Amino acid sequence: MARLVARRPATLWGGASYWPVASAGCLPHSFGDGGASASTAPAVVSRQPQQQQQRRCHVGSSGAADVRISERRLKEFLKAEVAFFADQSPNSISLRQVLDASTPERAAELSIKELPIRFAQRIVQIESLECWDSSPELVNVHSLYCRTFRDLRLVELDLQNLEPFTDVIQRIKGRMRAVIPSLATAMRALQQSQKLDEAMIGEWLDTFLLSRIGTEMLTSQYMACITARVGARPGRHGIVDDACDPAGICEQAARHARKLCMQHFKLNQDVVIRVESFDLDGAKQIRFPYVPQYLFYMMVEMLKNSARATVEVAKGDPAEIKRRPIIITVGADPSQVAIRVHDVAGGIPFSVADRVWSYMYSTVPDSKSGSDFSQQ
């Protein structure tokens, strides 16, 4: 059984009710992290005074005295920049701050201020891991982050023309899709080859991935604000929906999980997933401010676990699968929204309860097809 809780203390902001959101082990109140392509041509770096104690390096800045430097010198300069930014303290990014950055200009200003710090810190974090350069996957992730940091430092933010900055953010989002699979492969390989402690790996990944959530939110918010200029839906503030429908999202996640299960296990019988919704205030529909795409992702991951376990314990028998429904219960009161996922698939043995939250633990043996299913 899994449970998500989103708290919503009533606070008025901007003429409507907004609530800070937290979910058990998934989205924290504050969010923390988030490498561009090298060129053989000389780069142009502006000589400009430091502003707000952050050294900026601009390409072709109007009115600045430009100097040409070699690619080797530029790499040295960027290496120093990584050390400088990694030593800074990133500001915690709350849901309210994301809501406040609801225009492309505000979202761009927030991103250009916070992203370099987070990317620099992740570069240094990788380098601090013993024997990181012995892992091809970690070397690749390090390269991705270095290229992204370079992109961010060489783009000049012009609020009158956001197209160059938008191009950089689009490249970053495309590039970062490979990070999670590469990290998973790298950490498992290092655990075996370097005998790394499971607790140490968990702490390292916690820092890296929680920071990455912040980076993802910043870049997604900016792109959502850019897209909203074409056609915005009332109630949407970038990635945040101030009237998020948790029951509706659970229904979408259930359909997606059923489809994945049918395709992967070649079933003749759908896994039964039902959604029940209750509000103690008597409201017919539960609504609260949240990021729908993140809630959908969390629900799909939990439902995949329940569906796989159900199929395995039923040994693929259609009648037995039908007798073991997965029930999603969505509940709310004035202060919080809770989502519970309940299945009849045997649960988790007490003997491994202390490893449930470990990144390196799974109830699926590598030899089973369920392992591939969990990665879909």
Side-chain angles (χ1 to χ4, degrees):
M1 180 188 299
R3 190 166 179 248
L4 292 179
V5 178
R7 304 199 178 281
R8 52 177 192 183
T11 16
L12 284 178
W13 176 75
S17 294
Y18 292 90
W19 305 278
V21 174
S23 63
C26 296
L27 284 177
H29 279 294
S30 347
F31 305 92
D33 169 348
S37 55
S39 169
T40 55
V44 180
V45 180
S46 301
R47 284 179 176 164
Q48 293 187 339
Q50 293 183 12
Q51 296 179 356
Q52 299 177 351
Q53 298 186 350
Q54 290 189 356
R55 293 174 290 177
R56 298 304 310 270
C57 132
H58 296 298
V59 178
S61 176
S62 59
D66 295 333
V67 341
R68 291 184 177 276
I69 63 175
S70 67
E71 177 68 19
R72 181 184 63 80
R73 185 69 185 92
L74 176 60
K75 288 181 178 179
E76 292 174 354
F77 178 76
L78 289 171
K79 186 175 181 179
E81 289 268 290
V82 167
F84 175 78
F85 277 94
D87 198 43
Q88 307 303 303
S89 297
N91 293 316
S92 297
I93 307 299
S94 66
L95 189 65
R96 180 167 179 170
Q97 285 175 291
V98 175
L99 282 164
D100 196 34
S102 57
T103 67
E105 293 77 15
R106 289 179 182 177
E109 288 178 321
L110 182 61
S111 296
I112 201 68
K113 177 184 176 184
E114 296 295 329
L115 288 176
I117 298 174
R118 289 164 167 76
F119 280 110
Q121 289 179 339
R122 298 295 69 76
I123 291 170
V124 172
Q125 184 184 352
I126 292 173
E127 293 172 351
S128 69
L129 191 63
E130 188 177 357
C131 299
W132 71 271
D133 52 357
S134 68
S135 166
E137 293 81 12
L138 265 186
V139 170
N140 180 55
V141 172
H142 181 270
S143 174
L144 295 177
Y145 275 76
C146 288
R147 289 164 58 197
T148 296
F149 182 83
R150 175 182 170 132
D151 273 357
L152 289 167
R153 300 303 293 143
L154 293 181
V155 67
E156 181 175 8
L157 180 61
D158 180 359
L159 296 181
Q160 304 304 315
N161 176 22
L162 289 172
E163 187 174 346
F165 184 71
T166 302
D167 290 342
V168 167
I169 297 300
Q170 286 178 324
R171 286 201 301 273
I172 290 173
K173 291 191 72 64
R175 185 182 296 146
M176 288 299 146
R177 290 181 188 138
V179 167
I180 298 300
S182 295
L183 271 183
T185 302
M187 299 315 288
R188 288 196 178 278
L190 286 177
Q191 184 187 32
Q192 296 173 1
S193 64
Q194 305 298 324
K195 307 302 180 185
L196 296 183
D197 180 67
E198 188 171 307
M200 186 278 288
I201 292 176
E203 184 178 348
W204 193 93
L205 285 172
D206 273 345
T207 302
F208 196 100
L209 297 176
L210 285 175
S211 183
R212 191 174 186 272
I213 291 174
T215 300
E216 209 287 329
M217 286 196 73
L218 288 168
T219 54
S220 293
Q221 175 69 2
Y222 175 72
M223 293 308 303
C225 289
I226 289 290
T227 305
R229 280 188 163 173
V230 179
R233 184 176 70 76
R236 287 301 291 260
H237 304 271
I239 60 174
V240 181
D241 186 348
D242 60 11
C244 178
D245 176 8
I249 290 173
C250 287
E251 291 281 8
Q252 295 174 24
R255 287 195 294 270
H256 187 65
R258 277 194 294 262
K259 179 180 177 182
L260 289 177
C261 208
M262 287 283 287
Q263 292 174 344
H264 184 82
F265 292 107
K266 309 277 192 289
L267 300 176
N268 296 322
Q269 164 68 46
D270 264 340
V271 173
V272 180
I273 306 176
R274 294 200 297 264
V275 179
E276 302 172 346
S277 182
F278 304 93
D279 192 321
L280 296 182
D281 280 349
K284 293 182 178 179
Q285 295 180 321
I286 298 173
R287 297 289 185 271
F288 75 123
Y290 207 66
V291 184
Q293 68 197 59
Y294 296 162
L295 181 56
F296 174 80
Y297 173 78
M298 289 185 284
M299 291 307 304
V300 168
E301 290 303 304
M302 287 194 293
L303 290 173
K304 280 163 52 180
N305 286 341
S306 287
R308 175 191 56 78
T310 298
V311 171
E312 289 180 355
V313 77
K315 296 181 170 47
D317 178 39
E320 190 63 26
I321 289 175
K322 192 173 182 179
R323 284 194 293 268
R324 297 174 180 269
I326 299 168
I327 309 298
I328 306 171
T329 305
V330 183
D333 64 17
S335 64
Q336 63 184 358
V337 174
I339 301 174
R340 184 187 70 172
V341 178
H342 179 270
D343 61 53
V344 191
I348 299 171
F350 287 112
S351 59
V352 298
D354 58 341
R355 297 188 65 200
V356 165
W357 299 109
S358 170
Y359 294 100
M360 311 309 292
Y361 175 74
S362 174
T363 56
V364 186
D366 292 337
S367 60
K368 289 191 177 182
S369 62
S371 179
D372 296 331
F373 175 65
S374 298
Q375 296 173 18
Q376 291 186 26

